[in-house]
Amino acid sequence: ELMRLLEAEGSLPGRIAFEEVELGRILSEEIAPEDWARLLAAVDDHLRQGKASGIVIAHGTDTLAWTASLLFWLFPKPAVPIVLAASLMPAGREGSDAIPTLRAAIQAAASSEPGVYVAFGGRVLSPLNLRFERVAADGFRNWNLPVPVHTGSPLFADAPALGDREAVRTRLEEAINRTAVLRVYPGMRADLLIGMMNAGVRYFVLELYDTGTASLRESPYSLRRAFLEAKDRGVRFFCTSQQEGIVDFSRYVTSHELWREGAVPMGSLTTESAYTRLVACLAFSETEEEALERMEQFETGAG
């Protein structure tokens, strides 16, 4: 059926032959650590065995930015092109570009340099700092990337073993269960964060305002007490921005205070890319110290 739909749009080059592997049929908003583990194991197997000269992954839009950046961190220098393909509507619906996008992704996987790519809306995007801004053909955009990035610096000296699906699932679940992503908003209370710490969260990705600001003044609607509590417990905050900008903690008084209280600015990284880097570091580092060191070593535009 897939071949019939693809050929209906025009013949693919004769040199392209492909194998379809179904890893699961879920909506992308339903993705869970088990699904990521299944995907990582399948990609790892094909790369290690040299089973493909290109890999195409059909993916939904809702969590595309999260999966794409996770693949970027764990396969920073793949031997072949890895292309994620997504469309706003499934094939068969009026106005859907699913089949043309899949065709474009297959052609990109057959002709691009090794790296991780995203095909959407007739464009090829970077997997890093991908943002789903609106439901439209141009709804995805790369933030803070003047030059597209498709390969990066490896997080690990030795590539993590991703072939054992159950072991990877366990590692991902343990990492994800200790993390949380929060968006700062007016009226946010420290009690909320402290309650999450009490529930076992040790690592926060905190989406701040502007280049890295949040309320720290003395009031019930301040994060100061949460930061003090976090310092006593060894809880870490990795900070991104709600806007397209670089978090550097150098411009504002509250930014300096956040830095002094132990928050780590994630520079140009979006929340999605910072979160998946954190999950990868926690899941596949041997110690917590190694994971934290890797989180602080990100260089803008590395690759």
Side-chain angles (χ1 to χ4, degrees):
E1 175 64 10
L2 183 59
M3 281 299 300
R4 184 187 68 79
L5 291 170
L6 288 167
E7 292 294 339
E9 296 284 335
S11 296
L12 288 166
R15 64 185 178 86
I16 299 179
F18 67 92
E19 170 195 5
E20 182 183 359
V21 179
E22 186 172 308
L23 299 179
R25 292 193 177 208
I26 62 168
L27 299 172
S28 73
E29 63 266 31
E30 299 172 339
I31 204 163
E34 179 181 0
D35 305 302
W36 269 349
R38 188 181 299 115
L39 174 61
L40 293 173
V43 171
D44 184 76
D45 178 62
H46 279 74
L47 291 176
R48 289 183 185 275
Q49 298 298 322
K51 294 180 179 179
S53 56
I55 296 172
V56 173
I57 300 165
H59 200 289
T61 55
D62 288 351
T63 54
L64 178 63
W66 308 82
T67 300
S69 56
L70 182 67
L71 288 169
F72 177 83
W73 298 128
L74 292 176
F75 300 102
K77 293 187 182 296
V80 305
I82 300 171
V83 186
L84 294 99
S87 65
L88 293 173
M89 290 187 290
R93 290 192 184 179
E94 185 178 354
S96 172
D97 69 338
I99 296 303
T101 297
L102 185 58
R103 283 175 56 83
I106 292 170
Q107 291 171 327
S111 61
S112 300
E113 292 294 318
V116 183
Y117 302 80
V118 175
F120 178 84
R123 296 179 299 152
V124 175
L125 301 162
S126 168
L128 185 67
N129 282 11
L130 191 65
R131 261 288 162 108
F132 191 9
E133 295 180 326
R134 59 199 182 97
V135 181
D138 60 350
F140 279 91
R141 191 163 62 87
N142 289 121
W143 282 15
N144 301 325
L145 282 186
V147 178
V149 174
H150 300 289
T151 61
S153 301
L155 282 174
F156 309 94
D158 298 315
L162 301 173
D164 185 338
R165 192 175 78 190
E166 282 305 304
V168 172
R169 177 187 62 79
T170 299
R171 283 176 173 266
L172 289 175
E173 287 181 352
E174 289 175 352
I176 290 171
N177 289 346
R178 293 182 290 161
T179 63
V181 178
L182 292 178
R183 182 182 176 95
V184 169
Y185 55 87
M188 190 178 212
R189 296 176 62 99
D191 295 349
L192 170 67
L193 281 70
I194 294 171
M196 297 181 78
M197 295 179 206
N198 292 337
V201 174
R202 288 183 49 80
Y203 308 96
F204 289 89
V205 176
L206 196 60
E207 198 175 78
L208 305 173
Y209 307 124
D210 197 12
T211 57
T213 61
S215 174
L216 293 177
R217 72 170 182 157
E218 293 298 338
S219 86
Y221 303 103
S222 164
L223 298 184
R224 183 179 300 280
R225 192 160 62 88
F227 276 94
L228 294 175
E229 190 80 17
K231 185 177 286 188
D232 291 341
R233 299 188 188 200
V235 171
R236 299 300 185 100
F237 289 89
F238 300 96
C239 299
T240 61
S241 177
Q242 298 174 20
Q243 287 77 41
E244 183 178 7
I246 295 175
V247 177
D248 60 12
F249 287 171
S250 65
R251 291 182 59 186
Y252 299 106
V253 173
T254 53
S255 299
H256 286 291
E257 290 191 59
L258 287 166
W259 205 344
R260 188 171 61 245
E261 299 301 341
V264 178
M266 294 311 296
S268 64
L269 288 184
T270 59
T271 299
E272 295 89 342
S273 291
Y275 172 77
T276 54
R277 183 180 177 93
L278 176 60
V279 168
C281 289
L282 291 174
F284 300 106
S285 295
E286 293 302 318
T287 65
E288 181 181 40
E289 290 72 21
E290 289 180 5
L292 295 176
E293 183 178 347
R294 289 183 174 114
M295 278 301 293
E296 297 185 34
Q297 287 178 340
F298 175 74
E299 296 178 7
T300 304

